Amino acid sequence: MTPSSLIPFFPLGDMNRTLREPLHKALDRVLDSGWFILGPELEAFESEFAALCETQHCVGVGNGLEALRLLLQASGIGPGDEVIVPSHTFIATWLAVSACGATPVPVEPCPDTFTLDPARTEDAITPRTRVLMPVHLYGQPADMDPLNNLARRHGLLVIEDAAQAQGALYKGRRVGSLGHAAATSFYPAKNIGALGDGGAVVTNDAELAARVRKLRNYGSEVKYRHEIPGGCNSRLDELQAAFLRVKLPSLEADNARRQALATRYTKALAPWAGPALTLPFVAEDRCSVWHLYVIRTPHRKALRAALTKAGIDTAVHYPTPVHKQLCYPEFAGLRLPLADRMADEVLSLPLSPMMTEDDVDRVVQTVQAFLRPLMR
Ligand SMILES: *Cc1c(COP(=O)(O)O)cnc(C)c1O
């Protein structure tokens, strides 16, 4: 490696090219079968992914947003219902609620883990609340036990948004199996990504799984028999399912590699933590799969510029808090200071299973060189 070489944020093309041969084989298999929708590849992937999530059922759908929306719809959520969502998340979490005609009720995160705060969640529960929707943000599971206890006490459902945390653990249990049901996404840049769009619902609730199975397919499970008003067609296709079957076996190793690199970042940057730098924190009872390595700094713009100058790509997840998006004028006046602060200060450093230790060290050195004058 030359010192001037670029460190991409996430080398998506390279990641997929390491699997060129098996991906080509998968393509040939589907091409030869002549079967492209709702076939054996999807069925096999659904059982393989359910096994990973330690759930009994998996239903492949078109993308992560649809997985969330169909789960809410299948749970009977609609106008007049409230769904508690994190104030700091990717907008899809809220959009799924709005798409059902229900109202997203944002709750601020725990300031250390960035995930839904159970204490504030309790304060936000009203007689209209039907669902708690924690997000396992950046790869770290939300604090599920207190959320599940709240749900039990108030008769609510818990639906996990697990799009960023495939394979992560909470108290030794898999994300996806921690609430009533979970939605995930196979968007190409997720920890397990398709070569296109994809998503899935996982659950131990057989009836709920059956309803999602119908809803994803015009409200029908048996051809030309339409039992429920579906109004939707959202299926994980055979080609993407076949590609995902190629990628699933390396998920654990990829996640382990992410964990090793994240640990390296944290060890090297820990002495520099302070007012100018907050490092990501993972609670002791959780195992993050490090979808992203997100630091916080009030000097984000300048630090980003310094990293760019050194040939290091970064990203911001996410620059505008959801309540300030133009599509949500009804939330514009809300006071959500933590979400605002996250949006101002978060910075995602490059992290991918393909990164080398030397790459991490170079990022670390650039961050240190930037912070040195600020720490005097
Ligand atoms: C990516 C993502 C989604 C949506 O997934 P798509 O497949 O892009 O629709 C939902 N929630 C979170 C937290 C995500 O990161």
Side-chain angles (χ1 to χ4, degrees):
M1 190 191 73
T2 59
S4 61
S5 68
L6 297 179
I7 300 181
F9 181 69
F10 189 76
L12 189 55
D14 293 344
M15 285 276 298
N16 283 311
R17 279 189 292 272
T18 61
L19 295 168
R20 184 187 292 274
E21 271 184 42
L23 287 170
H24 272 277
K25 276 206 187 106
L27 166 65
D28 282 340
R29 205 167 61 230
V30 173
L31 204 55
D32 290 342
S33 79
W35 197 284
F36 302 104
I37 298 284
L38 297 181
E41 297 290 343
L42 176 61
E43 218 167 279
F45 176 71
E46 285 177 341
S47 65
E48 288 157 13
F49 192 69
L52 174 92
C53 297
E54 297 171 358
T55 57
Q56 283 160 25
H57 311 280
C58 169
V59 185
V61 298
N63 56 61
L65 173 58
E66 286 287 277
L68 285 166
R69 189 182 68 75
L70 291 174
L71 257 181
L72 290 169
Q73 197 185 336
S75 306
I77 305 305
D81 296 332
E82 293 179 356
V83 177
I84 292 183
V85 295
S87 63
H88 177 65
T89 179
F90 180 55
I91 193 169
T93 317
W94 292 41
L95 290 176
V97 178
S98 304
C100 295
T103 306
V105 175
V107 165
E108 294 265 70
C110 300
D112 52 356
T113 59
F114 301 167
T115 56
L116 193 64
D117 183 339
R120 292 173 202 260
T121 299
E122 180 156 29
D123 294 341
I125 293 174
T126 76
R128 290 171 175 266
T129 308
R130 297 281 310 277
V131 179
L132 308 182
M133 205 143 95
V135 178
H136 307 311
L137 196 72
Y138 305 150
Q140 170 165 216
D143 194 4
M144 294 299 288
D145 278 355
L147 293 172
N148 281 327
N149 286 338
L150 275 179
R152 213 165 296 130
R153 283 217 314 276
H154 294 268
L156 312 173
L157 291 174
V158 177
I159 293 179
E160 305 167 66
D161 180 341
Q164 301 191 355
Q166 292 106 347
L169 297 166
Y170 176 80
K171 300 186 179 175
R173 287 178 299 135
R174 288 285 187 187
V175 150
S177 70
L178 303 171
H180 292 103
T184 200
S185 161
F186 305 117
Y187 180 78
K190 306 292 191 196
N191 285 42
I192 169 170
L195 306 187
D197 274 316
V201 161
V202 288
T203 182
N204 286 321
D205 182 336
E207 278 179 35
L208 185 62
R211 278 200 297 281
V212 173
R213 220 171 265 288
K214 283 182 192 130
L215 283 173
R216 75 171 169 183
N217 188 50
Y218 327 109
S220 159
E221 203 166 0
V222 175
K223 204 164 189 179
Y224 302 132
R225 195 177 81 202
H226 304 268
E227 300 164 47
I228 45 179
C232 171
N233 160 18
S234 178
R235 302 163 303 210
L236 181 64
D237 64 68
E238 286 291 284
L239 199 48
Q240 295 306 334
F243 290 151
L244 286 165
R245 292 184 71 202
V246 171
K247 300 187 80 175
L248 192 56
S250 31
L251 177 66
E252 298 267 38
D254 283 353
N255 284 345
R257 179 72 188 152
R258 286 171 185 269
Q259 280 151 0
L261 296 170
T263 302
R264 192 175 183 90
Y265 266 132
T266 298
K267 271 203 181 128
L269 290 172
W272 300 79
L277 175 72
T278 306
L279 293 177
F281 169 82
V282 179
E284 224 167 74
D285 52 7
R286 293 169 237 180
C287 176
S288 172
V289 289
W290 296 100
H291 175 59
L292 296 166
Y293 190 91
V294 180
I295 62 169
R296 270 171 49 195
T297 172
H299 310 285
R300 180 172 72 198
K301 197 169 170 219
L303 175 55
R304 255 197 121 173
L307 287 161
T308 303
K309 204 168 150 220
I312 297 161
D313 260 354
T314 56
V316 172
H317 299 89
Y318 302 88
T320 305
V322 183
H323 67 284
K324 292 198 170 149
Q325 291 286 353
L326 292 176
C327 64
Y328 279 129
E330 66 272 38
F331 293 108
L334 273 191
R335 235 185 64 79
L336 294 167
L338 276 175
D340 287 339
R341 184 156 172 214
M342 298 283 182
D344 285 343
E345 295 191 348
V346 288
L347 179 64
S348 307
L349 300 181
L351 181 66
S352 82
M354 300 207 55
M355 242 179 132
T356 65
E357 276 77 5
D358 284 349
D359 291 338
V360 171
D361 295 349
R362 226 180 91 203
V363 178
V364 165
Q365 282 151 20
T366 310
V367 174
Q368 289 171 344
F370 174 85
L371 290 174
R372 202 165 285 123
L374 294 173
M375 292 187 75
R376 288 221 186 88

